[in-house]
Amino acid sequence: MIFLNRLAAASRAVAVYLLVAYVLLLGGQYYGLVAFQINVLSTILMSIGAIIWIGWRIKRRSGFAQTPLDLPLFIGLGAAAVSAIFSLDPSRSAGALFLGAVWACVYWITADGLSEGLSRRTLARAVYLSGAVIAAIAFIQVTFFWRDWLSLGLLPQVSFRVAAPNPTAAFLNFIWTLWLAELIESKRWWQRIVLIVLLIVSGIVMLYTSSRGGWLGMASGAFVFALLYRHSLFNVARAIYSRPMLRIVIALSAVAAVVAVSAIAIRQWSHATHAPTIVSSREEFWPPAWEAFLRSPLSGTGLFTYSSTYLASLSVPPRGIFNQAHGLVFNLLSETGLIGLGAAIFALIVFVKNVGQVGNLPKNVGQVTNLPKNVGQVFNLPIHVGQVANLSNTEASWRVAALASLCGTFAHSFVETTYVNPPVMALIAIACAMMMPTTSRGWRNGIVLVGICAYTLWSVWAYQPLHEGVELGDQGKWKEAAALLDEAIRRDPFSTWTKLQLGYALHRSGNYSRAIDLYREALKREPSYSMNWANLAAAQWANGDRDEAKLTLARARTLAPDATLFRVIESKWTGTPPPLIKPDEVDERLALVVAGKLSPDELTKDRERLAASLELREIGFSQVIQLAEIEITQKNLPRADYLLNYATAMRGDSPITLEFAYGDLDAARGDLRSAAIHYSRVWELYSLPDDTGYGWLIFVREGFRENIAPELAALPLPHHIILRLQTLSAWYRVLGEDELANRFERITK
């Protein structure tokens, strides 16, 4: 019987781990919300889970747990509904309202599970084990970064950011406090060592997110944790102080850690993506949000519409698309107005008022002055302290850790917007549930869960033809794609994104008149993206409406005055001289030397200048590659190889120039086959469609890989790229690959 009980408990724990991992790492991630197949899987799992959960509740004749946060959650959903009614794009904001309801259900289900005996320790472990996957991926990137520099015999010479730095920082702000709680609860020495290593890893990764808001959040969480445990930490410090040798070791270790962290932090603070201060780095995001609030101060422009505000304020392209104002307060004001901000403040007040009531925790959280008995064992010190007031040893640390996580996230949210990060919202829901008491039981939360499942089933049903139409369009089957997208609009006639995609499919299949109508209809709801206006102009031009096309293109140029593409199109349509695109002079000379049209001696001055910059460590990624290319022309191949490894370690954002350089190095070594592969890879990168992530970021939906109408003039190839492709064609001739040689000759002509 004991074995069966343990097996049942282990099975429940594994189920919780898998469920939380799915929410945080797959279904609840941004790509999980976009990808159709994951949508289907999430819908199936949600429906099955809801049926089992509600059936179990009915069988037990016991309603769902209700908490003090229920009313604020319903008020918040009501505020989101009001903003959706008056939204720039009601369909988009309704989707955001649905996501908010899903996160509310995560909170209610977690609270219900805790009220039925689900261990907070089990829940916390599920969270931090899932978060550990994110931390591990980021730490591997940091390790490779250091490996590349150390292999050159150098310490890192540039700052570095892990992929997805802000979401990674948000994850870390949750999991590191849970690791600390596990460390406090742990009784085995090997577990303590592992947890200390994990805490060190989380600190290192947080540094390399280069997220100053993340640093602020981690510091805030640490402050709250230390505040709640201040007396016990004082006892630990006093015990350490009583041991001279341990005192010296810890003091020296602390000084070394502070010096190392400070050195890295100073470099990371000045990362190329950063303005000097946090506030100055938000200057392009906060003013548009404030202007949107002033235009609609009561209800805002609608959830998930800040992107439209941003697009109307800055030139996109060449800038990228952002779907958040990088500040929760500004996002709420912009998208939900005073109603949404008021609902958020009310929820915060209710949370603070009730947080101390969990397990009879003193309402003044500063009064929590004691730790579980085994806290001193973390350092093998003879410390024996009492329990947190009326809390079990196994629950106290987790509640404090959850509170510290929430405080860290709250601090981080002043410079980042949490509700556009789905897994972080799920984490917030779980942490809040760990802090709130159960006040009563009822069925209203179960009714909301049924409604969510019903909406999810409809959403997937409406999404299916859009997904299939996008797949066919990517295969060039535009007429078949248009038929499916027509069905998608019949299922969801309010979807702005589906209308844009159908308009593009009809445009590509030659039905210009209807494409124009759909473009115009969609632009009423999403008037801020310049490329939509450019595609409409292209459809009008193809339909013979030349004057209309020029006026529409002028609208695109107004929205994106810095976009070279639109100036090239305008010059073609109006017969005016095209804009001058000045090439980099060194790149031009290098291409001429590689093509045999210029003597390598012409690069001597460039070589001296770039070498001096490298010596002073005042050189950028592209300049290092140029210097490597010059060394190749001078037959100094070892030096060129070193410089290319140096450039690789810098983690620059121009893989095209790096591939060219490696191709030239292989050619200098006599390996034309490998050189041609590098050059061909460049062309594949260069000719990829410009994926701005527009559909993913703004509409949370899949879209065609191709997003520029064929009537729009492609940017002319720079002369140095043409020279490189001519060189590639010549290499293929030597290799006997005439078909490939002819292909690249045609491209250059």
Side-chain angles (χ1 to χ4, degrees):
M1 182 61 70
I2 295 177
F3 171 75
L4 291 177
N5 288 338
R6 288 180 177 177
L7 181 62
S11 300
R12 286 193 296 271
V14 170
V16 172
Y17 293 165
L18 292 176
L19 179 61
V20 171
Y22 181 81
V23 171
L24 298 183
L25 301 178
L26 188 63
Q29 283 283 350
Y30 211 87
Y31 56 77
L33 300 177
V34 174
F36 175 73
Q37 290 87 348
I38 302 179
N39 268 251
V40 172
L41 178 58
S42 298
T43 301
I44 293 172
L45 293 175
M46 185 184 296
S47 301
I48 293 173
I51 291 170
I52 293 173
W53 197 267
I54 293 173
W56 180 64
R57 278 283 172 222
I58 292 173
K59 181 180 179 181
R60 295 193 60 184
R61 298 181 180 179
S62 174
F64 290 82
Q66 296 180 349
T67 73
L69 267 186
D70 290 1
L71 178 60
L73 284 174
F74 280 112
I75 291 176
L77 293 174
V82 170
S83 78
I85 293 171
F86 298 101
S87 173
L88 294 175
D89 186 358
S91 176
R92 202 188 327 170
S93 297
L97 172 61
F98 163 68
L99 280 179
V102 170
W103 295 325
C105 283
V106 171
Y107 168 80
W108 286 322
I109 290 173
T110 304
D112 200 39
L114 291 170
S115 72
E116 289 294 330
L118 173 63
S119 166
R120 283 172 174 79
R121 185 174 195 169
T122 298
L123 191 59
R125 283 178 170 175
V127 169
Y128 77 60
L129 288 173
S130 300
V133 175
I134 304 295
I137 293 172
F139 186 68
I140 289 171
Q141 296 173 41
V142 175
T143 302
F144 286 172
F145 171 73
W146 273 83
R147 179 205 62 186
D148 290 346
W149 281 107
L150 292 176
S151 67
L152 297 170
L154 297 170
L155 293 175
Q157 302 296 303
V158 295
S159 56
F160 168 69
R161 298 186 82 179
V162 298
N166 288 321
T168 300
F171 257 105
L172 290 173
N173 274 328
F174 267 93
I175 63 175
W176 84 267
T177 56
L178 300 178
W179 279 332
L180 189 55
E182 186 72 80
L183 180 63
I184 291 171
E185 294 292 331
S186 177
K187 298 179 181 179
R188 295 181 177 88
W189 67 269
W190 65 267
Q191 289 179 337
R192 297 173 198 157
I193 292 175
V194 169
L195 289 162
I196 290 171
V197 169
L198 288 173
L199 285 167
I200 293 171
V201 165
S202 68
I204 292 171
V205 171
M206 180 62 84
L207 276 174
Y208 280 99
T209 63
S210 196
S211 171
R212 293 173 291 187
W215 299 352
L216 174 65
M218 180 170 272
S220 301
F223 174 78
V224 170
F225 212 106
L227 178 66
L228 295 177
Y229 284 166
R230 63 185 183 275
H231 289 285
S232 293
L233 291 175
F234 175 76
N235 290 337
V236 171
R238 187 169 56 186
I240 291 173
Y241 187 79
S242 67
R243 297 185 175 185
M245 186 58 67
L246 184 60
R247 184 173 64 203
I248 294 172
V249 169
I250 290 180
L252 292 176
S253 300
V255 170
V258 168
V259 171
V261 169
S262 300
I264 296 173
I266 290 170
R267 185 183 292 277
Q268 292 299 107
W269 185 277
S270 59
H271 191 273
T273 61
H274 285 166
T277 66
I278 295 178
V279 174
S280 60
S281 69
R282 299 303 186 253
E283 286 179 350
E284 70 176 86
F285 302 109
W286 289 353
W290 182 252
E291 291 169 8
F293 164 68
L294 294 178
R295 288 195 298 269
S296 182
L298 194 60
S299 61
T301 59
L303 281 173
F304 281 17
T305 61
Y306 170 78
S307 51
S308 297
T309 301
Y310 179 86
L311 288 168
S313 303
L314 292 104
S315 182
V316 182
R319 288 176 179 266
I321 296 174
F322 287 91
N323 63 345
Q324 59 149 314
H326 290 74
L328 180 61
V329 173
F330 282 96
N331 247 110
L332 286 171
L333 287 173
S334 170
E335 297 186 340
T336 63
L338 293 174
I339 294 176
L341 183 62
I345 293 173
F346 176 64
L348 181 62
I349 292 171
V350 172
F351 177 83
V352 172
K353 181 180 178 181
N354 288 276
V355 69
Q357 298 179 10
V358 186
N360 298 319
L361 188 68
K363 290 185 179 180
N364 180 0
V365 292
Q367 296 173 7
V368 185
T369 59
N370 296 313
L371 284 174
K373 292 179 181 179
N374 61 350
V375 67
Q377 297 172 6
V378 173
F379 297 98
N380 291 319
L381 298 175
I383 300 174
H384 302 283
V385 295
Q387 293 178 309
V388 177
N390 297 322
L391 287 180
S392 67
N393 284 356
T394 56
E395 293 289 291
S397 300
W398 304 110
R399 288 174 174 134
V400 172
L403 182 60
S405 296
L406 288 169
C407 291
T409 301
F410 182 71
H412 190 186
S413 71
F414 281 100
V415 289
E416 290 293 332
T417 304
T418 47
Y419 65 73
V420 299
N421 190 334
V424 171
M425 290 303 296
L427 286 169
I428 291 173
I430 292 170
C432 286
M434 292 173 69
M435 296 305 304
M436 287 293 101
T438 298
T439 54
S440 61
R441 292 195 173 274
W443 292 99
R444 70 184 178 205
N445 298 346
I447 294 171
V448 174
L449 180 59
V450 171
I452 290 298
C453 290
Y455 183 91
T456 303
L457 289 168
W458 172 85
S459 177
V460 169
W461 174 75
Y463 195 171
Q464 179 184 0
L466 170 62
H467 162 71
E468 294 175 352
V470 166
E471 284 193 329
L472 288 173
D474 286 340
Q475 298 169 22
K477 301 176 181 178
W478 295 108
K479 289 185 178 180
E480 296 89 338
L484 281 166
L485 291 168
D486 254 327
E487 175 60 24
I489 286 183
R490 279 192 289 272
R491 295 185 182 186
D492 183 6
F494 302 105
S495 172
T496 301
W497 179 241
T498 305
K499 291 172 183 175
L500 285 169
Q501 295 296 278
L502 177 57
Y504 193 87
L506 291 168
H507 184 166
R508 292 304 312 272
S509 58
N511 190 344
Y512 302 120
S513 179
R514 189 166 174 231
I516 291 169
D517 291 339
L518 281 163
Y519 279 143
R520 283 175 170 161
E521 188 175 348
L523 282 165
K524 292 177 183 177
R525 293 295 184 190
E526 174 45 36
S528 304
Y529 187 36
S530 60
M531 197 59 67
N532 292 336
W533 289 98
N535 283 336
L536 171 59
Q540 291 169 330
W541 186 271
N543 200 43
D545 304 328
R546 301 299 171 87
D547 292 336
E548 284 288 327
K550 293 175 184 177
L551 291 173
T552 303
L553 183 61
R555 179 66 182 272
R557 278 211 60 191
T558 300
L559 286 168
D562 299 336
T564 304
L565 174 63
F566 299 152
R567 287 184 282 139
V568 171
I569 298 165
E570 187 177 59
S571 69
K572 179 181 177 182
W573 287 1
T574 60
T576 56
L580 294 175
I581 304 174
K582 189 177 180 180
D584 184 277
E585 294 180 0
V586 178
D587 284 339
E588 185 77 8
R589 286 193 288 272
L590 280 168
L592 289 168
V593 170
V594 172
K597 300 180 179 180
L598 189 69
S599 169
D601 294 337
E602 297 295 326
L603 298 170
T604 302
K605 290 184 179 179
D606 296 318
R607 184 187 191 187
E608 293 172 353
R609 175 177 55 82
L610 292 171
S613 298
L614 178 64
E615 187 70 24
L616 296 172
R617 298 291 184 258
E618 297 176 354
I619 191 169
F621 173 75
S622 298
Q623 287 71 43
V624 173
I625 295 175
Q626 289 175 342
L627 181 56
E629 290 269 31
I630 293 172
E631 296 296 342
I632 292 170
T633 65
Q634 305 298 319
K635 307 302 182 183
N636 190 353
L637 302 189
R639 176 66 173 168
D641 189 46
Y642 174 87
L643 289 168
L644 291 181
N645 288 331
Y646 190 103
T648 301
M650 292 180 77
R651 302 297 194 272
D653 58 358
S654 180
I656 288 178
T657 54
L658 193 58
E659 289 285 352
F660 272 141
Y662 274 116
D664 292 336
L665 182 61
D666 285 337
R669 289 169 172 165
D671 188 354
L672 285 188
R673 176 74 57 185
S674 179
I677 291 173
H678 281 292
Y679 266 49
S680 298
R681 195 176 296 150
V682 168
W683 178 246
E684 291 170 5
L685 291 169
Y686 201 86
S687 57
L688 282 174
D690 182 21
D691 183 13
T692 60
Y694 176 62
W696 283 60
L697 287 172
I698 296 182
F699 298 98
V700 199
R701 282 293 179 261
E702 297 171 350
F704 298 129
R705 285 194 299 268
E706 179 183 308
N707 69 341
I708 301 177
E711 291 81 10
L712 300 180
L715 286 173
L717 289 174
H719 186 243
H720 71 277
I721 296 291
I722 293 175
L723 290 171
R724 297 279 191 171
L725 294 179
Q726 289 173 347
T727 300
L728 175 59
S729 178
W731 287 347
Y732 275 127
R733 291 278 182 220
V734 174
L735 293 169
E737 301 279 358
D738 289 339
E739 185 175 343
L740 288 171
N742 292 335
R743 175 195 172 198
F744 285 103
E745 277 185 4
R746 287 193 298 271
I747 292 171
T748 59
K749 293 177 181 178

